[in-house]
Amino acid sequence: MQHSVLDQVSSASFSLEPVLTIRVELGPEDDSRLRLALSEEIGLTYGDYDHVSFETAAGIQFFRGQSGTASGAMETATSRQVHVLFFSIPRDEAVLGSTLAVIHRLHSYEEPVVYISEAYATRTRVDQRRNGPNKWWNKNSR
């Protein structure tokens, strides 16, 4: 069995937790309701926090509909502004199924653009959470 360098990472400050990272491209019609529904139904936890996600500024998505799509066959590719929602969930089949169900239920696209990757996320060890001069709350109190 092949071992990953991640299996060997150890620190007094943090641990590594296996997660799935989800990247969803959102069209102009996909406002905060998708992110809020995921936060409420899935939790979007990261350590002791919930409702944790990242959303990019607008970028440009290019596509061309083929025969059988809602737009029908398009002669040329088109583009539209989109942004990307990025978050992680536990590596759990039921959580992944629920997450994808929310996305497909609420997304405005006929074929939502969703990418799923296996990854590791850091988790700060309990005794290291609030210590240290570089924590923002310690910097503001000076």
Side-chain angles (χ1 to χ4, degrees), residues 46-68:
Y46 194 96
D48 289 341
Y49 293 83
D50 65 2
H51 287 67
V52 178
S53 63
F54 175 78
E55 198 166 310
T56 66
I60 301 174
Q61 179 187 67
F62 300 90
F63 63 94
R64 182 173 81 169
Q66 297 181 11
S67 179

Side-chain angles (χ1 to χ4, degrees), residues 103-123:
I103 292 168
H104 282 264
R105 182 179 81 234
L106 296 177
H107 203 287
S108 65
Y109 286 12
E110 177 180 18
E111 183 68 59
V113 180
V114 180
Y115 293 94
I116 304 164
S117 300
E118 291 183 335
Y120 286 85
T122 62
R123 296 295 185 259

Side-chain angles (χ1 to χ4, degrees), residues 90-107:
R91 283 193 199 173
D92 179 284
E93 188 176 340
V95 175
L96 177 59
S98 297
T99 300
L100 294 174
V102 170
I103 292 168
H104 282 264
R105 182 179 81 234
L106 296 177
H107 203 287

